[in-house]
Amino acid sequence: MLTRLARALRAPQLLALYAQGFLLMGAFVAVYNYLGFHLISPPFLLPAWLVTLLFLAYLAGTVSSSWAGSLASRFGRRRVLLAAIGVFGAGAGLMLVPQPIVILVGLVIFTGGFFGAHAIASSWAPALADVDSRAQAPSLYYFAYYAGSSLFGWALGIVFGGVGWNVFILAVLAMAASSAVIATTTLRPEARAAGSR
């Protein structure tokens, strides 16, 4: 078991996929944790009952996950993963605009991008793993995924409370950019053909 685990921790492409879950899920959870506080504060002062409806944006993920899978079979996993990260970042960028409706649109786009990226990365991990570590790779992906949620869900709250929403979103964008750089430099497009058979 330890040998299989070690194999899944030594493969650079698998580490790149774990990083996707770690960074993107961390940013995603942080936005949902703190956006409500942003919207009930000045200058917006939205009522709490309305802010709780933000979680309806999760519905965008049900659409983007299935789209990502079908697009990956046509264009390749890496290309679709990078496009989803781009959508994720574009949605986060819109949340810098101090207009509630624009922030809401940004949240929907951000959510769709996240679930699209997650669908690709989580399904790619077992496809890239060798036969002996095919069970360990997705487990490690989800370990990184929830570790990112825990760490950044807390740490970005310090950013939000200390320096405000705009810097918070810039940190989220930096995390998205980091995940895109890791995917671009480490994940090989040719791996898609083997994984998608």
Side-chain angles (χ1 to χ4, degrees):
M1 180 66 71
L2 289 175
T3 300
R4 293 176 180 178
L5 192 64
R7 289 169 70 97
L9 284 169
R10 286 198 302 262
Q13 291 196 89
L14 287 175
L15 291 173
L17 290 177
Y18 307 154
Q20 303 306 306
F22 181 71
L23 292 167
L24 297 177
M25 179 59 166
F28 178 79
V29 166
V31 166
Y32 271 92
N33 279 354
Y34 302 108
L35 177 58
F37 294 105
H38 178 55
L39 291 176
I40 64 175
S41 302
F44 309 113
L45 298 174
L46 295 183
W49 68 266
L50 182 58
V51 170
T52 60
L53 298 178
L54 290 175
F55 286 91
L56 291 174
Y58 265 70
L59 294 173
T62 63
V63 176
S64 65
S65 296
S66 59
W67 277 359
S70 61
L71 290 172
S73 65
R74 294 175 56 195
F75 302 108
R77 286 189 177 104
R78 190 180 78 154
R79 188 176 294 179
V80 177
L81 174 62
L82 291 171
I85 295 170
V87 171
F88 177 89
L94 285 175
M95 286 188 273
L96 287 169
V97 178
Q99 296 292 333
I101 188 63
V102 178
I103 292 172
L104 177 59
V105 170
L107 182 66
V108 171
I109 293 170
F110 171 85
T111 302
F114 168 75
F115 280 106
H118 169 58
I120 296 298
S122 62
S123 64
W124 202 355
L128 279 180
D130 59 36
V131 173
D132 290 334
S133 59
R134 202 153 279 169
Q136 285 70 36
S139 298
L140 288 168
Y141 172 85
Y142 280 102
F143 177 82
Y145 179 88
Y146 289 113
S149 168
S150 299
L151 176 62
F152 294 110
W154 163 75
L156 288 182
I158 297 174
V159 175
F160 173 66
V163 290
W165 180 255
N166 287 352
V167 178
F168 171 89
I169 289 294
L170 291 176
V172 167
L173 290 170
M175 291 168 68
S178 297
S179 68
V181 169
I182 292 168
T184 301
T185 57
T186 309
L187 296 171
R188 296 193 301 269
E190 61 269 21
R192 187 271 306 178
S196 62
R197 289 194 187 106

